[in-house]
């Protein structure tokens, strides 16, 4: 009986080196999964930033399209020229007020700054 117990123990000892590889396999798989998870998180953050930037650029493009549409209208351009640069039609008389010239200059500077 004791001989059988010693023999079973020795047979079990023969399997131990093969069992030592098992934790290493699980450890490497766990590290790989952790790296993949961290990479996924960084890509999701990048996606959120990119979507936010896309919405911002899309809004800017819509605003520019509206500006282009307005600038193609001759009545709008004439109205803006009269208000900003104190131009007048033949039958109009312009009375510049002291604060109007400064406002017109400020609007003019704002228009050139936004186009840069």
């Amino acid at each position: 009986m004791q001989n059988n117990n010693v023999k079973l123990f020795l047979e079990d000892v023969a399997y131990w080196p093969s069992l030592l590889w098992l934790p290493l396999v699980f450890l490497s798989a766990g590290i790989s999964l952790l790296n993949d998870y961290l990479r996924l998180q960084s890509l999701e953050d990048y996606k959120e930033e990119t979507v936010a930037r896309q919405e911002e650029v899309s809004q800017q493009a819509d605003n520019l399209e509206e500006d282009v549409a307005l600038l193609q209208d001759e009545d709008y351009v004439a109205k803006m020229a009269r208000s900003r640069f104190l131009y007048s039609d033949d039958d109009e008389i312009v009375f510049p007020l002291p604060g109007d010239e400064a406002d017109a200059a400020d609007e003019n500077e704002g228009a050139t700054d936004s186009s840069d």
Side-chain angles (χ1 to χ4, degrees):
M1 179 77 96
Q2 188 171 356
N3 194 14
N4 283 339
N5 287 339
V6 171
K7 189 175 186 182
L8 288 175
F9 178 74
L10 290 176
E11 288 176 2
D12 288 343
V13 172
Y15 288 110
W16 286 2
S18 62
L19 293 177
L20 292 177
W21 288 100
L22 191 59
L24 292 174
V25 170
F26 283 120
L27 182 65
S28 66
I31 290 173
S32 177
L33 286 173
L34 179 65
N35 285 336
D36 290 344
Y37 176 74
L38 293 175
R39 175 77 174 145
L40 178 64
Q41 289 293 55
S42 68
L43 289 175
E44 287 176 351
D45 292 342
Y46 180 72
K47 178 184 174 186
E48 289 176 8
E49 292 172 6
T50 304
V51 167
R53 178 70 178 140
Q54 178 187 12
E55 291 172 358
E56 187 178 303
V57 169
S58 176
Q59 182 63 37
Q60 288 176 351
D62 291 343
N63 291 343
L64 289 174
E65 287 175 3
E66 289 175 10
D67 289 347
V68 167
L70 287 173
L71 290 173
Q72 289 175 348
D73 183 15
E74 291 182 18
D75 294 332
Y76 176 79
V77 172
K79 178 182 172 185
M80 293 306 295
R82 284 196 305 273
S83 68
R84 287 188 182 176
F85 305 115
L86 302 178
Y87 288 136
S88 64
D89 284 338
D90 293 334
D91 59 344
E92 291 180 339
I93 300 174
V94 177
F95 296 101
L97 300 175
D100 288 345
E101 292 177 9
D103 291 341
D106 289 343
E107 288 177 6
N108 207 9
E109 287 177 13
T112 55
D113 289 343
S114 64
S115 64
D116 287 342

